[in-house]
Amino acid sequence: MPGVVISTSVRTGPSTATVRESSQLFVVGLAQRGPSDEAVLIESLAEFEDVFGGYRADSYLHPTIETFFEEGGTRAYVVRAVGASATAGELTLQDGSSNDVITLTANGAGDWSEDVDIQVINSGSTFKINIYFENDVVYTTGTVTSSSQAVGRINSSAVASRYVSAAVDDADLLPATLSATALSAGDAQDTSLDDEDYRDALTLFNDALGVGAVVCAESQSDNMNSYLTAHANNFNRVALLCGPESQTTTQAKTAALSVQALDNAEHAAYYYPWVEIPTSISGITRMIPPVGYVAAKRALAHNQNGAHVPAAGLLSSSRFVTGVKYDVNKSVGDDLDEGFVNAVRVIQNTVRIYGARACSVDTDNFKYITQQDVVNTVVSEAYRSLEDLVFSPIDGRNTIFSNISARLTAILASMRDTGALYPAFDANGRLLDPGFTVKCDASINPASQLNDGLVKARVGLRVSSIGDQIQIDIVKSNLTTSVV
């Protein structure tokens, strides 16, 4: 029928096109399937499910990722944890004389490989391989003339490689026709993983992936929190921590105190309580650790404004999270804040994060987790910018000093302009310093040091604080007195 047709739909996932490296989430947990030997970049729930499968009843990884993207997160690196002796299913294709031709191995350990079926259609001098997953065709090689060609197509396909990898056993032979046949069952051995297993999985989040926030979806123990904090310190990241679902406020403060005892507690922030999210079944909800929600609002703050903006207050108002495990009123929230625990509260009928505290007892420098985030961002930007100057000549004009100073100043000036750094002014409003200093000259680079190829620079910065309290004095006057 002629006219204007308008359709509507609901969009889920990131709410901003700007993606800063500092907004990234690094999360380790259990998944139905997928690789376990690498950190995989995921940018939507649909992409996560394509690689790692759907909801798993004994895991919080899927709902953590779901919450992250629904609440505004943009980029997550995921590591799937499996047992040390985990195995992947496989299937060997043979020719008509039972000679091995091609071996297909599931991309990841576990019995999910039984849902992958391989079909071979041989036409004499050519053949093609079809890959099925849960009875649906997900990939076909098309007609090929050699085993090497088929293997090359499978291994270079982003779709096929989600399910299998291929290896040539005999390049001179072609596989015989084979009806759809399942790979053997692998074994993930992940039903009894401990904190040390998750700690080992964290090592796949190497320094090349940059800064961000790191969490473990499956364990909320004191040991796991210490492992996450140590990882954050080693890789210039921040650790988002919490306790188990049944944790009381007293237990939360005790757990945060144990984190405070660590040398690198400025890299950690503790949150309480768990949050409630909807499920695919109408009227049914589930409780999950709050770290996915916190990571999402942190990503939103970083992407919209910068690393100095906390994931708290109005910005953290939920759009997917529907409630909290325990109600936290103002007095309880104040008590948690004094114990270095950030409360998740219901404010004006929406769930919000009501705290930006770091676990560090050095409150002069690291009272707020944003202060470490800003430092991490400076480190990350300096690495990226100065890498181009490595192997520059050290000439008599000290050109390398000027280039290093210029690049560091550009980074810090930009952060000052966004409010991440705090300039100093005198009583007359005259600028005393821009909130940072950069030094790279002969005074810290003697000739003997330069002779060894080492060039040093020194950066000082004053990180902005967070206004987490607003105090107003209200004085009432009667009709016979002046208004104050």
Side-chain angles (χ1 to χ4, degrees), residues 235-255:
F235 293 93
N236 295 303
R237 296 167 184 154
V238 297
L240 306 181
L241 313 178
C242 66
E245 181 180 359
S246 61
Q247 186 182 54
T248 65
T249 56
T250 299
Q251 291 170 335
K253 291 191 296 181
T254 300

Side-chain angles (χ1 to χ4, degrees), residues 463-481:
V463 180
S464 297
S465 187
I466 299 298
D468 63 352
Q469 296 183 57
I470 299 176
Q471 182 174 321
I472 302 173
D473 293 329
I474 299 178
V475 180
K476 176 191 175 298
S477 298
N478 60 37
L479 299 182
T480 62
T481 59

